[in-house]
PDB file of all heavy atoms in Angstrom:
ATOM      1  N   LEU A   1      -1.682   4.314  -4.338  1.00 92.00           N
ATOM      2  CA  LEU A   1      -0.851   3.628  -3.276  1.00 92.00           C
ATOM      3  C   LEU A   1      -1.747   3.813  -1.992  1.00 92.00           C
ATOM      4  O   LEU A   1      -2.197   4.792  -1.667  1.00 92.00           O
ATOM      5  CB  LEU A   1       0.456   4.362  -3.238  1.00 92.00           C
ATOM      6  CG  LEU A   1       1.394   3.966  -2.204  1.00 92.00           C
ATOM      7  CD1 LEU A   1       1.930   2.504  -2.402  1.00 92.00           C
ATOM      8  CD2 LEU A   1       2.573   4.803  -2.090  1.00 92.00           C
ATOM      9  N   ILE A   2      -1.646   2.790  -1.270  1.00 92.00           N
ATOM     10  CA  ILE A   2      -2.303   2.742   0.122  1.00 92.00           C
ATOM     11  C   ILE A   2      -1.127   2.627   1.134  1.00 92.00           C
ATOM     12  O   ILE A   2      -0.200   1.683   1.027  1.00 92.00           O
ATOM     13  CB  ILE A   2      -3.298   1.540   0.378  1.00 92.00           C
ATOM     14  CG1 ILE A   2      -4.326   1.713  -0.582  1.00 92.00           C
ATOM     15  CG2 ILE A   2      -3.774   1.591   1.810  1.00 92.00           C
ATOM     16  CD1 ILE A   2      -5.376   0.564  -0.540  1.00 92.00           C
ATOM     17  N   LEU A   3      -0.849   3.561   2.008  1.00 92.00           N
ATOM     18  CA  LEU A   3       0.119   3.667   3.018  1.00 92.00           C
ATOM     19  C   LEU A   3      -0.460   3.345   4.388  1.00 92.00           C
ATOM     20  O   LEU A   3      -1.442   4.005   4.726  1.00 92.00           O
ATOM     21  CB  LEU A   3       0.774   5.067   3.033  1.00 92.00           C
ATOM     22  CG  LEU A   3       1.801   5.331   2.035  1.00 92.00           C
ATOM     23  CD1 LEU A   3       2.447   6.767   2.113  1.00 92.00           C
ATOM     24  CD2 LEU A   3       2.951   4.273   2.008  1.00 92.00           C
ATOM     25  N   VAL A   4       0.061   2.418   4.976  1.00 90.00           N
ATOM     26  CA  VAL A   4      -0.268   1.966   6.457  1.00 90.00           C
ATOM     27  C   VAL A   4       0.787   2.004   7.448  1.00 90.00           C
ATOM     28  O   VAL A   4       2.064   1.953   6.917  1.00 90.00           O
ATOM     29  CB  VAL A   4      -0.963   0.590   6.432  1.00 90.00           C
ATOM     30  CG1 VAL A   4      -2.369   0.664   5.694  1.00 90.00           C
ATOM     31  CG2 VAL A   4      -0.053  -0.460   5.662  1.00 90.00           C
ATOM     32  N   GLU A   5       0.532   2.125   8.643  1.00 88.00           N
ATOM     33  CA  GLU A   5       1.612   2.170   9.649  1.00 88.00           C
ATOM     34  C   GLU A   5       2.404   0.807   9.873  1.00 88.00           C
ATOM     35  O   GLU A   5       3.509   0.812  10.348  1.00 88.00           O
ATOM     36  CB  GLU A   5       1.190   2.684  10.951  1.00 88.00           C
ATOM     37  CG  GLU A   5       0.109   1.979  11.650  1.00 88.00           C
ATOM     38  CD  GLU A   5      -1.279   2.339  11.206  1.00 88.00           C
ATOM     39  OE1 GLU A   5      -1.500   2.811  10.083  1.00 88.00           O
ATOM     40  OE2 GLU A   5      -2.205   2.005  11.987  1.00 88.00           O
ATOM     41  N   GLY A   6       1.507  -0.246   9.594  1.00 86.00           N
ATOM     42  CA  GLY A   6       2.162  -1.591   9.825  1.00 86.00           C
ATOM     43  C   GLY A   6       1.533  -2.663   8.923  1.00 86.00           C
ATOM     44  O   GLY A   6       0.453  -2.328   8.386  1.00 86.00           O
ATOM     45  N   PHE A   7       2.265  -3.748   8.809  1.00 88.00           N
ATOM     46  CA  PHE A   7       1.581  -4.746   7.829  1.00 88.00           C
ATOM     47  C   PHE A   7       0.222  -5.314   8.376  1.00 88.00           C
ATOM     48  O   PHE A   7       0.109  -5.710   9.555  1.00 88.00           O
ATOM     49  CB  PHE A   7       2.594  -5.959   7.783  1.00 88.00           C
ATOM     50  CG  PHE A   7       2.211  -7.046   6.828  1.00 88.00           C
ATOM     51  CD1 PHE A   7       2.184  -6.823   5.412  1.00 88.00           C
ATOM     52  CD2 PHE A   7       1.680  -8.307   7.336  1.00 88.00           C
ATOM     53  CE1 PHE A   7       1.657  -7.820   4.571  1.00 88.00           C
ATOM     54  CE2 PHE A   7       1.239  -9.253   6.368  1.00 88.00           C
ATOM     55  CZ  PHE A   7       1.290  -9.087   5.095  1.00 88.00           C
ATOM     56  N   ASP A   8      -0.667  -5.342   7.489  1.00 85.00           N
ATOM     57  CA  ASP A   8      -1.948  -5.860   7.823  1.00 85.00           C
ATOM     58  C   ASP A   8      -2.424  -6.889   6.791  1.00 85.00           C
ATOM     59  O   ASP A   8      -2.637  -6.531   5.590  1.00 85.00           O
ATOM     60  CB  ASP A   8      -3.114  -4.665   7.737  1.00 85.00           C
ATOM     61  CG  ASP A   8      -4.461  -5.211   8.218  1.00 85.00           C
ATOM     62  OD1 ASP A   8      -4.691  -6.347   8.150  1.00 85.00           O
ATOM     63  OD2 ASP A   8      -5.239  -4.271   8.660  1.00 85.00           O
ATOM     64  N   MET A   9      -2.393  -8.173   7.249  1.00 91.00           N
ATOM     65  CA  MET A   9      -2.638  -9.334   6.281  1.00 91.00           C
ATOM     66  C   MET A   9      -4.019  -9.190   5.539  1.00 91.00           C
ATOM     67  O   MET A   9      -4.117  -9.464   4.279  1.00 91.00           O
ATOM     68  CB  MET A   9      -2.487 -10.591   6.941  1.00 91.00           C
ATOM     69  CG  MET A   9      -2.765 -11.852   5.986  1.00 91.00           C
ATOM     70  SD  MET A   9      -1.576 -11.865   4.677  1.00 91.00           S
ATOM     71  CE  MET A   9      -0.101 -12.716   5.452  1.00 91.00           C
ATOM     72  N   ASN A  10      -4.932  -8.814   6.336  1.00 90.00           N
ATOM     73  CA  ASN A  10      -6.460  -8.676   5.706  1.00 90.00           C
ATOM     74  C   ASN A  10      -6.407  -7.616   4.657  1.00 90.00           C
ATOM     75  O   ASN A  10      -7.013  -7.809   3.556  1.00 90.00           O
ATOM     76  CB  ASN A  10      -7.412  -8.411   6.913  1.00 90.00           C
ATOM     77  CG  ASN A  10      -7.688  -9.693   7.696  1.00 90.00           C
ATOM     78  OD1 ASN A  10      -7.490 -10.680   7.360  1.00 90.00           O
ATOM     79  ND2 ASN A  10      -8.331  -9.436   8.867  1.00 90.00           N
ATOM     80  N   LEU A  11      -5.848  -6.488   4.882  1.00 90.00           N
ATOM     81  CA  LEU A  11      -5.752  -5.401   4.055  1.00 90.00           C
ATOM     82  C   LEU A  11      -4.987  -5.780   2.739  1.00 90.00           C
ATOM     83  O   LEU A  11      -5.482  -5.473   1.632  1.00 90.00           O
ATOM     84  CB  LEU A  11      -5.116  -4.155   4.654  1.00 90.00           C
ATOM     85  CG  LEU A  11      -5.076  -2.893   3.772  1.00 90.00           C
ATOM     86  CD1 LEU A  11      -6.460  -2.371   3.426  1.00 90.00           C
ATOM     87  CD2 LEU A  11      -4.278  -1.771   4.522  1.00 90.00           C
ATOM     88  N   TRP A  12      -3.938  -6.381   2.928  1.00 92.00           N
ATOM     89  CA  TRP A  12      -3.066  -6.848   1.867  1.00 92.00           C
ATOM     90  C   TRP A  12      -3.794  -7.798   0.905  1.00 92.00           C
ATOM     91  O   TRP A  12      -3.791  -7.765  -0.341  1.00 92.00           O
ATOM     92  CB  TRP A  12      -1.726  -7.398   2.316  1.00 92.00           C
ATOM     93  CG  TRP A  12      -0.752  -7.760   1.247  1.00 92.00           C
ATOM     94  CD1 TRP A  12       0.005  -6.881   0.426  1.00 92.00           C
ATOM     95  CD2 TRP A  12      -0.584  -9.021   0.636  1.00 92.00           C
ATOM     96  NE1 TRP A  12       0.826  -7.566  -0.315  1.00 92.00           N
ATOM     97  CE2 TRP A  12       0.448  -8.958  -0.296  1.00 92.00           C
ATOM     98  CE3 TRP A  12      -0.978 -10.426   0.919  1.00 92.00           C
ATOM     99  CZ2 TRP A  12       1.024 -10.030  -1.010  1.00 92.00           C
ATOM    100  CZ3 TRP A  12      -0.558 -11.457   0.323  1.00 92.00           C
ATOM    101  CH2 TRP A  12       0.454 -11.226  -0.797  1.00 92.00           C
ATOM    102  N   LEU A  13      -4.467  -8.823   1.525  1.00 92.00           N
ATOM    103  CA  LEU A  13      -5.215  -9.736   0.839  1.00 92.00           C
ATOM    104  C   LEU A  13      -6.293  -9.100  -0.002  1.00 92.00           C
ATOM    105  O   LEU A  13      -6.755  -9.498  -1.217  1.00 92.00           O
ATOM    106  CB  LEU A  13      -5.640 -10.979   1.560  1.00 92.00           C
ATOM    107  CG  LEU A  13      -4.611 -11.885   2.226  1.00 92.00           C
ATOM    108  CD1 LEU A  13      -5.192 -12.786   3.169  1.00 92.00           C
ATOM    109  CD2 LEU A  13      -3.924 -12.616   1.120  1.00 92.00           C
ATOM    110  N   ALA A  14      -7.005  -8.223   0.743  1.00 91.00           N
ATOM    111  CA  ALA A  14      -8.202  -7.581   0.177  1.00 91.00           C
ATOM    112  C   ALA A  14      -7.822  -6.693  -1.112  1.00 91.00           C
ATOM    113  O   ALA A  14      -8.625  -6.583  -2.111  1.00 91.00           O
ATOM    114  CB  ALA A  14      -8.937  -6.737   1.191  1.00 91.00           C
ATOM    115  N   ALA A  15      -6.599  -6.166  -1.041  1.00 91.00           N
ATOM    116  CA  ALA A  15      -6.179  -5.211  -2.108  1.00 91.00           C
ATOM    117  C   ALA A  15      -5.585  -5.901  -3.281  1.00 91.00           C
ATOM    118  O   ALA A  15      -5.444  -5.400  -4.342  1.00 91.00           O
ATOM    119  CB  ALA A  15      -5.166  -4.187  -1.485  1.00 91.00           C
ATOM    120  N   ARG A  16      -5.281  -7.253  -3.187  1.00 91.00           N
ATOM    121  CA  ARG A  16      -4.576  -7.910  -4.284  1.00 91.00           C
ATOM    122  C   ARG A  16      -5.480  -7.996  -5.604  1.00 91.00           C
ATOM    123  O   ARG A  16      -4.744  -7.872  -6.632  1.00 91.00           O
ATOM    124  CB  ARG A  16      -4.376  -9.383  -3.876  1.00 91.00           C
ATOM    125  CG  ARG A  16      -3.201  -9.690  -3.025  1.00 91.00           C
ATOM    126  CD  ARG A  16      -2.781 -10.973  -2.897  1.00 91.00           C
ATOM    127  NE  ARG A  16      -4.033 -11.955  -2.626  1.00 91.00           N
ATOM    128  CZ  ARG A  16      -4.008 -13.354  -2.355  1.00 91.00           C
ATOM    129  NH1 ARG A  16      -2.676 -13.843  -2.612  1.00 91.00           N
ATOM    130  NH2 ARG A  16      -4.933 -13.894  -2.157  1.00 91.00           N
ATOM    131  N   ASN A  17      -6.688  -8.042  -5.494  1.00 89.00           N
ATOM    132  CA  ASN A  17      -7.542  -7.997  -6.673  1.00 89.00           C
ATOM    133  C   ASN A  17      -7.965  -6.752  -7.336  1.00 89.00           C
ATOM    134  O   ASN A  17      -8.659  -6.738  -8.334  1.00 89.00           O
ATOM    135  CB  ASN A  17      -8.884  -8.937  -6.430  1.00 89.00           C
ATOM    136  CG  ASN A  17      -8.495 -10.399  -6.265  1.00 89.00           C
ATOM    137  OD1 ASN A  17      -7.598 -10.791  -6.838  1.00 89.00           O
ATOM    138  ND2 ASN A  17      -9.275 -11.192  -5.472  1.00 89.00           N
ATOM    139  N   LEU A  18      -7.555  -5.661  -6.596  1.00 91.00           N
ATOM    140  CA  LEU A  18      -7.929  -4.395  -7.147  1.00 91.00           C
ATOM    141  C   LEU A  18      -6.753  -3.920  -8.136  1.00 91.00           C
ATOM    142  O   LEU A  18      -5.637  -3.894  -7.802  1.00 91.00           O
ATOM    143  CB  LEU A  18      -7.968  -3.344  -6.078  1.00 91.00           C
ATOM    144  CG  LEU A  18      -9.059  -3.462  -5.076  1.00 91.00           C
ATOM    145  CD1 LEU A  18      -9.114  -2.479  -3.758  1.00 91.00           C
ATOM    146  CD2 LEU A  18     -10.486  -3.337  -5.725  1.00 91.00           C
ATOM    147  N   PRO A  19      -7.178  -3.576  -9.400  1.00 91.00           N
ATOM    148  CA  PRO A  19      -6.125  -3.258 -10.371  1.00 91.00           C
ATOM    149  C   PRO A  19      -5.327  -1.920 -10.034  1.00 91.00           C
ATOM    150  O   PRO A  19      -6.061  -1.005  -9.619  1.00 91.00           O
ATOM    151  CB  PRO A  19      -7.010  -3.165 -11.648  1.00 91.00           C
ATOM    152  CG  PRO A  19      -8.371  -2.879 -11.337  1.00 91.00           C
ATOM    153  CD  PRO A  19      -8.484  -3.570  -9.944  1.00 91.00           C
ATOM    154  N   ASN A  20      -4.068  -2.088 -10.119  1.00 90.00           N
ATOM    155  CA  ASN A  20      -3.274  -0.868  -9.985  1.00 90.00           C
ATOM    156  C   ASN A  20      -3.358  -0.141  -8.569  1.00 90.00           C
ATOM    157  O   ASN A  20      -3.439   1.001  -8.315  1.00 90.00           O
ATOM    158  CB  ASN A  20      -3.625   0.309 -11.110  1.00 90.00           C
ATOM    159  CG  ASN A  20      -3.344  -0.148 -12.486  1.00 90.00           C
ATOM    160  OD1 ASN A  20      -2.431  -0.777 -12.730  1.00 90.00           O
ATOM    161  ND2 ASN A  20      -4.409   0.074 -13.227  1.00 90.00           N
ATOM    162  N   VAL A  21      -3.699  -1.013  -7.541  1.00 91.00           N
ATOM    163  CA  VAL A  21      -3.606  -0.565  -6.195  1.00 91.00           C
ATOM    164  C   VAL A  21      -2.626  -1.443  -5.495  1.00 91.00           C
ATOM    165  O   VAL A  21      -2.658  -2.540  -5.551  1.00 91.00           O
ATOM    166  CB  VAL A  21      -5.041  -0.748  -5.607  1.00 91.00           C
ATOM    167  CG1 VAL A  21      -5.036  -0.501  -4.096  1.00 91.00           C
ATOM    168  CG2 VAL A  21      -6.135   0.171  -6.338  1.00 91.00           C
ATOM    169  N   THR A  22      -1.715  -0.839  -4.804  1.00 91.00           N
ATOM    170  CA  THR A  22      -0.621  -1.403  -3.928  1.00 91.00           C
ATOM    171  C   THR A  22      -0.705  -0.831  -2.640  1.00 91.00           C
ATOM    172  O   THR A  22      -1.136   0.279  -2.284  1.00 91.00           O
ATOM    173  CB  THR A  22       0.695  -1.194  -4.612  1.00 91.00           C
ATOM    174  OG1 THR A  22       0.934   0.349  -4.643  1.00 91.00           O
ATOM    175  CG2 THR A  22       0.947  -1.736  -5.889  1.00 91.00           C
ATOM    176  N   VAL A  23      -0.361  -1.760  -1.661  1.00 92.00           N
ATOM    177  CA  VAL A  23      -0.345  -1.476  -0.354  1.00 92.00           C
ATOM    178  C   VAL A  23       1.165  -1.542   0.267  1.00 92.00           C
ATOM    179  O   VAL A  23       1.901  -2.432  -0.048  1.00 92.00           O
ATOM    180  CB  VAL A  23      -1.124  -2.486   0.668  1.00 92.00           C
ATOM    181  CG1 VAL A  23      -0.988  -2.160   2.066  1.00 92.00           C
ATOM    182  CG2 VAL A  23      -2.553  -2.504   0.164  1.00 92.00           C
ATOM    183  N   GLU A  24       1.638  -0.528   0.994  1.00 91.00           N
ATOM    184  CA  GLU A  24       2.846  -0.502   1.464  1.00 91.00           C
ATOM    185  C   GLU A  24       2.918   0.100   2.928  1.00 91.00           C
ATOM    186  O   GLU A  24       2.161   0.878   3.271  1.00 91.00           O
ATOM    187  CB  GLU A  24       3.918   0.556   0.514  1.00 91.00           C
ATOM    188  CG  GLU A  24       4.272  -0.238  -0.784  1.00 91.00           C
ATOM    189  CD  GLU A  24       5.540   0.457  -1.288  1.00 91.00           C
ATOM    190  OE1 GLU A  24       6.244   1.276  -0.516  1.00 91.00           O
ATOM    191  OE2 GLU A  24       5.753   0.468  -2.517  1.00 91.00           O
ATOM    192  N   GLU A  25       4.011  -0.428   3.637  1.00 92.00           N
ATOM    193  CA  GLU A  25       4.095   0.119   4.976  1.00 92.00           C
ATOM    194  C   GLU A  25       4.963   1.474   4.869  1.00 92.00           C
ATOM    195  O   GLU A  25       5.812   1.686   4.050  1.00 92.00           O
ATOM    196  CB  GLU A  25       4.978  -0.765   5.798  1.00 92.00           C
ATOM    197  CG  GLU A  25       4.304  -2.159   6.147  1.00 92.00           C
ATOM    198  CD  GLU A  25       5.125  -3.127   6.820  1.00 92.00           C
ATOM    199  OE1 GLU A  25       5.452  -2.809   7.980  1.00 92.00           O
ATOM    200  OE2 GLU A  25       5.365  -4.197   6.364  1.00 92.00           O
ATOM    201  N   ALA A  26       4.649   2.292   5.773  1.00 90.00           N
ATOM    202  CA  ALA A  26       5.065   3.681   5.817  1.00 90.00           C
ATOM    203  C   ALA A  26       6.670   3.630   5.856  1.00 90.00           C
ATOM    204  O   ALA A  26       7.313   4.440   5.124  1.00 90.00           O
ATOM    205  CB  ALA A  26       4.639   4.524   6.833  1.00 90.00           C
ATOM    206  N   GLN A  27       7.205   2.742   6.610  1.00 90.00           N
ATOM    207  CA  GLN A  27       8.668   2.773   6.774  1.00 90.00           C
ATOM    208  C   GLN A  27       9.395   2.327   5.674  1.00 90.00           C
ATOM    209  O   GLN A  27      10.651   2.456   5.435  1.00 90.00           O
ATOM    210  CB  GLN A  27       8.992   1.859   8.081  1.00 90.00           C
ATOM    211  CG  GLN A  27       8.607   0.408   7.803  1.00 90.00           C
ATOM    212  CD  GLN A  27       8.960  -0.522   9.022  1.00 90.00           C
ATOM    213  OE1 GLN A  27      10.005  -0.262   9.696  1.00 90.00           O
ATOM    214  NE2 GLN A  27       8.188  -1.402   9.323  1.00 90.00           N
ATOM    215  N   PHE A  28       8.745   1.601   4.609  1.00 91.00           N
ATOM    216  CA  PHE A  28       9.349   1.053   3.436  1.00 91.00           C
ATOM    217  C   PHE A  28       9.051   1.865   2.179  1.00 91.00           C
ATOM    218  O   PHE A  28       9.462   1.406   1.052  1.00 91.00           O
ATOM    219  CB  PHE A  28       8.986  -0.395   3.273  1.00 91.00           C
ATOM    220  CG  PHE A  28       9.472  -1.312   4.468  1.00 91.00           C
ATOM    221  CD1 PHE A  28       8.511  -2.155   5.026  1.00 91.00           C
ATOM    222  CD2 PHE A  28      10.740  -1.190   4.904  1.00 91.00           C
ATOM    223  CE1 PHE A  28       8.969  -2.844   6.071  1.00 91.00           C
ATOM    224  CE2 PHE A  28      11.207  -1.940   6.001  1.00 91.00           C
ATOM    225  CZ  PHE A  28      10.187  -2.797   6.558  1.00 91.00           C
ATOM    226  N   VAL A  29       8.300   2.876   2.277  1.00 91.00           N
ATOM    227  CA  VAL A  29       7.825   3.623   1.053  1.00 91.00           C
ATOM    228  C   VAL A  29       9.105   4.046   0.345  1.00 91.00           C
ATOM    229  O   VAL A  29       9.978   4.595   0.927  1.00 91.00           O
ATOM    230  CB  VAL A  29       6.788   4.598   1.418  1.00 91.00           C
ATOM    231  CG1 VAL A  29       7.447   5.870   2.145  1.00 91.00           C
ATOM    232  CG2 VAL A  29       6.140   5.319   0.177  1.00 91.00           C
ATOM    233  N   ASP A  30       8.918   4.025  -1.042  1.00 91.00           N
ATOM    234  CA  ASP A  30      10.134   4.447  -1.908  1.00 91.00           C
ATOM    235  C   ASP A  30       9.657   5.560  -2.881  1.00 91.00           C
ATOM    236  O   ASP A  30       8.450   5.658  -3.124  1.00 91.00           O
ATOM    237  CB  ASP A  30      10.697   3.237  -2.543  1.00 91.00           C
ATOM    238  CG  ASP A  30       9.658   2.592  -3.569  1.00 91.00           C
ATOM    239  OD1 ASP A  30       9.418   3.086  -4.636  1.00 91.00           O
ATOM    240  OD2 ASP A  30       9.116   1.629  -3.105  1.00 91.00           O
ATOM    241  N   PRO A  31      10.547   6.379  -3.358  1.00 92.00           N
ATOM    242  CA  PRO A  31      10.066   7.466  -4.361  1.00 92.00           C
ATOM    243  C   PRO A  31       9.501   6.987  -5.594  1.00 92.00           C
ATOM    244  O   PRO A  31       8.663   7.711  -6.110  1.00 92.00           O
ATOM    245  CB  PRO A  31      11.497   8.272  -4.616  1.00 92.00           C
ATOM    246  CG  PRO A  31      12.563   7.138  -4.247  1.00 92.00           C
ATOM    247  CD  PRO A  31      11.958   6.404  -3.194  1.00 92.00           C
ATOM    248  N   VAL A  32       9.873   5.834  -6.130  1.00 93.00           N
ATOM    249  CA  VAL A  32       9.213   5.345  -7.454  1.00 93.00           C
ATOM    250  C   VAL A  32       7.841   4.947  -7.241  1.00 93.00           C
ATOM    251  O   VAL A  32       6.974   5.297  -8.076  1.00 93.00           O
ATOM    252  CB  VAL A  32      10.050   3.982  -7.817  1.00 93.00           C
ATOM    253  CG1 VAL A  32       9.334   3.483  -9.102  1.00 93.00           C
ATOM    254  CG2 VAL A  32      11.416   4.429  -8.154  1.00 93.00           C
ATOM    255  N   ALA A  33       7.407   4.350  -6.115  1.00 92.00           N
ATOM    256  CA  ALA A  33       6.036   4.083  -5.770  1.00 92.00           C
ATOM    257  C   ALA A  33       5.206   5.317  -5.658  1.00 92.00           C
ATOM    258  O   ALA A  33       3.977   5.397  -6.246  1.00 92.00           O
ATOM    259  CB  ALA A  33       5.832   3.215  -4.435  1.00 92.00           C
ATOM    260  N   LEU A  34       5.790   6.211  -5.003  1.00 92.00           N
ATOM    261  CA  LEU A  34       5.121   7.624  -4.858  1.00 92.00           C
ATOM    262  C   LEU A  34       4.783   8.356  -6.238  1.00 92.00           C
ATOM    263  O   LEU A  34       3.830   8.909  -6.490  1.00 92.00           O
ATOM    264  CB  LEU A  34       5.876   8.567  -3.870  1.00 92.00           C
ATOM    265  CG  LEU A  34       5.792   8.083  -2.346  1.00 92.00           C
ATOM    266  CD1 LEU A  34       6.798   8.921  -1.567  1.00 92.00           C
ATOM    267  CD2 LEU A  34       4.336   8.152  -1.764  1.00 92.00           C
ATOM    268  N   VAL A  35       6.033   8.558  -7.008  1.00 92.00           N
ATOM    269  CA  VAL A  35       5.824   9.270  -8.246  1.00 92.00           C
ATOM    270  C   VAL A  35       4.992   8.515  -9.200  1.00 92.00           C
ATOM    271  O   VAL A  35       4.194   9.235  -9.832  1.00 92.00           O
ATOM    272  CB  VAL A  35       7.324   9.256  -8.941  1.00 92.00           C
ATOM    273  CG1 VAL A  35       7.248   9.703 -10.277  1.00 92.00           C
ATOM    274  CG2 VAL A  35       8.284  10.143  -8.000  1.00 92.00           C
ATOM    275  N   GLY A  36       4.809   7.184  -9.157  1.00 91.00           N
ATOM    276  CA  GLY A  36       3.889   6.508 -10.109  1.00 91.00           C
ATOM    277  C   GLY A  36       2.453   6.484  -9.609  1.00 91.00           C
ATOM    278  O   GLY A  36       1.644   5.870 -10.413  1.00 91.00           O
ATOM    279  N   ALA A  37       2.154   6.987  -8.463  1.00 91.00           N
ATOM    280  CA  ALA A  37       0.774   6.775  -7.838  1.00 91.00           C
ATOM    281  C   ALA A  37      -0.018   7.999  -8.342  1.00 91.00           C
ATOM    282  O   ALA A  37       0.289   9.131  -8.169  1.00 91.00           O
ATOM    283  CB  ALA A  37       0.872   6.718  -6.323  1.00 91.00           C
ATOM    284  N   ALA A  38      -1.249   7.622  -8.788  1.00 91.00           N
ATOM    285  CA  ALA A  38      -2.147   8.642  -9.161  1.00 91.00           C
ATOM    286  C   ALA A  38      -2.757   9.265  -7.942  1.00 91.00           C
ATOM    287  O   ALA A  38      -2.853  10.583  -7.853  1.00 91.00           O
ATOM    288  CB  ALA A  38      -3.392   7.999  -9.937  1.00 91.00           C
ATOM    289  N   LYS A  39      -3.001   8.535  -6.854  1.00 92.00           N
ATOM    290  CA  LYS A  39      -3.361   9.066  -5.525  1.00 92.00           C
ATOM    291  C   LYS A  39      -2.856   8.246  -4.482  1.00 92.00           C
ATOM    292  O   LYS A  39      -2.472   7.077  -4.687  1.00 92.00           O
ATOM    293  CB  LYS A  39      -4.965   9.090  -5.395  1.00 92.00           C
ATOM    294  CG  LYS A  39      -5.604  10.333  -6.084  1.00 92.00           C
ATOM    295  CD  LYS A  39      -7.017  10.482  -5.698  1.00 92.00           C
ATOM    296  CE  LYS A  39      -7.684  11.694  -6.263  1.00 92.00           C
ATOM    297  NZ  LYS A  39      -9.034  11.860  -5.862  1.00 92.00           N
ATOM    298  N   VAL A  40      -2.710   8.790  -3.351  1.00 93.00           N
ATOM    299  CA  VAL A  40      -2.000   8.141  -2.106  1.00 93.00           C
ATOM    300  C   VAL A  40      -3.125   8.148  -1.032  1.00 93.00           C
ATOM    301  O   VAL A  40      -3.654   9.378  -0.659  1.00 93.00           O
ATOM    302  CB  VAL A  40      -0.785   8.772  -1.611  1.00 93.00           C
ATOM    303  CG1 VAL A  40      -0.382   8.105  -0.367  1.00 93.00           C
ATOM    304  CG2 VAL A  40       0.263   8.689  -2.771  1.00 93.00           C
ATOM    305  N   VAL A  41      -3.549   7.027  -0.526  1.00 92.00           N
ATOM    306  CA  VAL A  41      -4.433   7.088   0.649  1.00 92.00           C
ATOM    307  C   VAL A  41      -3.531   6.641   1.863  1.00 92.00           C
ATOM    308  O   VAL A  41      -2.926   5.619   1.831  1.00 92.00           O
ATOM    309  CB  VAL A  41      -5.643   6.090   0.534  1.00 92.00           C
ATOM    310  CG1 VAL A  41      -6.327   5.892   1.831  1.00 92.00           C
ATOM    311  CG2 VAL A  41      -6.574   6.616  -0.574  1.00 92.00           C
ATOM    312  N   ALA A  42      -3.441   7.412   2.847  1.00 91.00           N
ATOM    313  CA  ALA A  42      -2.652   7.166   4.042  1.00 91.00           C
ATOM    314  C   ALA A  42      -3.453   7.263   5.223  1.00 91.00           C
ATOM    315  O   ALA A  42      -4.238   8.159   5.530  1.00 91.00           O
ATOM    316  CB  ALA A  42      -1.409   8.112   3.938  1.00 91.00           C
ATOM    317  N   SER A  43      -3.082   6.471   6.352  1.00 88.00           N
ATOM    318  CA  SER A  43      -3.693   6.560   7.600  1.00 88.00           C
ATOM    319  C   SER A  43      -2.863   7.745   8.273  1.00 88.00           C
ATOM    320  O   SER A  43      -1.633   8.071   7.868  1.00 88.00           O
ATOM    321  CB  SER A  43      -3.556   5.345   8.355  1.00 88.00           C
ATOM    322  OG  SER A  43      -2.175   5.144   8.683  1.00 88.00           O
ATOM    323  N   ALA A  44      -3.452   8.328   9.221  1.00 88.00           N
ATOM    324  CA  ALA A  44      -2.851   9.482   9.955  1.00 88.00           C
ATOM    325  C   ALA A  44      -1.522   8.941  10.584  1.00 88.00           C
ATOM    326  O   ALA A  44      -0.647   9.674  10.774  1.00 88.00           O
ATOM    327  CB  ALA A  44      -3.818   9.997  10.922  1.00 88.00           C
TER     328      ALA A  44
END
């Protein structure tokens, strides 16, 4: 899971073709996405 502070169209489009990689905004993150993530990359 990639966590960002706000929606970034370029980042979202770039991540679409990466298998098992999702991009979510910090304010909308949910427990299911976190529990199912092997790793989480988050901006400060």
Side-chain angles (χ1 to χ4, degrees):
L1 179 66
I2 298 174
L3 279 180
V4 290
E5 63 272 20
F7 181 72
D8 184 339
M9 179 60 80
N10 284 346
L11 180 63
W12 184 78
L13 290 171
R16 279 194 309 179
N17 288 331
L18 293 174
N20 302 316
V21 173
T22 55
V23 179
E24 281 199 27
E25 293 178 61
Q27 60 179 328
F28 300 127
V29 68
D30 60 83
V32 174
L34 289 171
V35 168
K39 279 191 177 181
V40 177
V41 171
S43 66

